[in-house]
Amino acid sequence: MSSLTSLTPVEVAGLLKITKNTVYELIKRGELPAYKVCNKIRVDIKDVEYYINSQKNTTISSPIANVTSNTKQDIIISGQDVLLDILGNYIEKKIKSIKILRLHIGSYNGLFNLYNNQVSISSCHLWDGETDSYNTPFVKKLLPGIPCILINLAYRKQGFYVQRGNPKNINTWNDLINPKITLVNREKGSGTRILLDEKLKSLNIYPKNILGYDYEESSHLSVASAVSRGKADVGLGNENASLQVSNIDFIPLQKERYDLVIKKDSLSNPVYQEIINIIKSDDFKSELEGIGGYDLRDTGKIIDEC
């Protein structure tokens, strides 16, 4: 397999065709032995070969096998919203054979990983400026030829985080080109970054004319925190994060649809049917209502098929 005797987690991920985070999870659970050299994790090639041989009787293209298996199987859900953590907890409580792994990446990269069988379910909140619609256009582009369903998890408000009292009177997209206003942006591939770029494109606003466009943070909370600490005057994110950070106000701009994307061929596995039942359940919806900041009118509804 390789002339090396030990591998880094990145090299192991490449050999196993999984994400680096999943490698760390396998190490954490003791399924893949590892050790440290100068505080860097290493895995012996013989242990990787043993792991591959031990998995030959399982289905590699899907992270799970069946509901009744006595061995824990992995379902990887990509996305960053806390709702996904709550869903993962419900799934593990309901289906004892399942282990939920979370991949905290943006919607665009999540769909890309779903296409490459590196995640089981991808969350998605991608606005398409040409059609003024959410998610379906991107699913069709990023998963060509792969039938999928889109199940609604919630609707969220997207808007500006501004300093308490909105001292610079930031209310519209056009305000971002004010040379006295500094933006804190999200990373490429996130739904929030794509919303911003699509809006700028529709208004013929060039990113180079926005101070701070290249200043990036990797989550709604970190963007809100940057505004709260005076590192920027404005950032874009969802309402829920604004409720968790002091000294900022939220200026609503758009309601977005937050969906889960699942391949149709996965639905033949009863585990996925059970996950859909969990999302539809009153207990799950009740817990989401307790968080606040979400519109749950379509939670569990199949919004589209493509």
Side-chain angles (χ1 to χ4, degrees), residues 136 140 147-150 264 302-306:
T136 301
K140 289 179 177 179
C148 296
I149 63 170
L150 285 76
K264 278 188 178 180
I302 296 179
I303 295 293
D304 207 350
E305 301 184 28
C306 54

Side-chain angles (χ1 to χ4, degrees), residues 8 18 30 39 119 121 146 172 188 193 209 212 224 232 236 270 277 298:
T8 67
I18 59 177
N39 290 323
V119 301
I121 300 172
I146 300 178
T172 70
K188 291 180 179 178
R193 173 66 168 263
N209 294 329
L236 184 64
N277 290 336
D298 287 334

Side-chain angles (χ1 to χ4, degrees), residues 173-183 185 196-197 200-201 203-214 234:
W173 301 101
N174 283 303
D175 291 329
L176 299 179
I177 61 176
N178 185 331
K180 295 182 179 180
I181 290 174
T182 300
L183 171 75
N185 210 345
L196 173 64
D197 288 343
L200 296 181
K201 179 182 176 182
L203 295 168
N204 293 316
I205 296 175
Y206 293 97
K208 65 181 181 180
N209 294 329
I210 299 176
L211 184 62
Y213 179 85
D214 294 324
V234 61

Side-chain angles (χ1 to χ4, degrees), residues 68-137:
T68 58
S69 172
N70 291 324
T71 303
K72 278 191 177 294
Q73 303 296 322
D74 295 342
I75 284 187
I76 306 171
I77 302 177
S78 70
Q80 299 173 324
D81 198 290
V82 67
L83 300 187
L84 302 174
D85 298 318
I86 296 172
L87 175 61
N89 290 336
Y90 267 79
I91 294 171
E92 288 188 341
K93 289 178 183 178
K94 182 72 173 180
I95 312 172
K96 301 301 183 182
S97 61
I98 295 303
K99 173 67 177 178
I100 297 297
L101 305 178
R102 293 277 290 105
L103 188 59
H104 294 271
I105 58 176
S107 297
Y108 192 96
N109 294 329
L111 292 180
F112 179 82
N113 281 321
L114 183 62
Y115 178 77
N116 287 288
N117 294 321
Q118 293 179 329
V119 301
S120 317
I121 300 172
S122 173
S123 65
C124 189
H125 62 111
L126 295 169
W127 182 70
D128 178 61
E130 292 184 3
T131 62
D132 189 22
S133 63
Y134 269 94
N135 301 334
T136 301

Side-chain angles (χ1 to χ4, degrees), residues 260-279:
L260 297 179
V261 182
I262 303 175
K263 294 177 182 178
K264 278 188 178 180
D265 63 6
S266 296
L267 299 179
S268 61
N269 189 316
V271 166
Y272 286 93
Q273 297 292 343
E274 188 61 39
I275 289 173
I276 294 173
N277 290 336
I278 290 171
I279 298 171

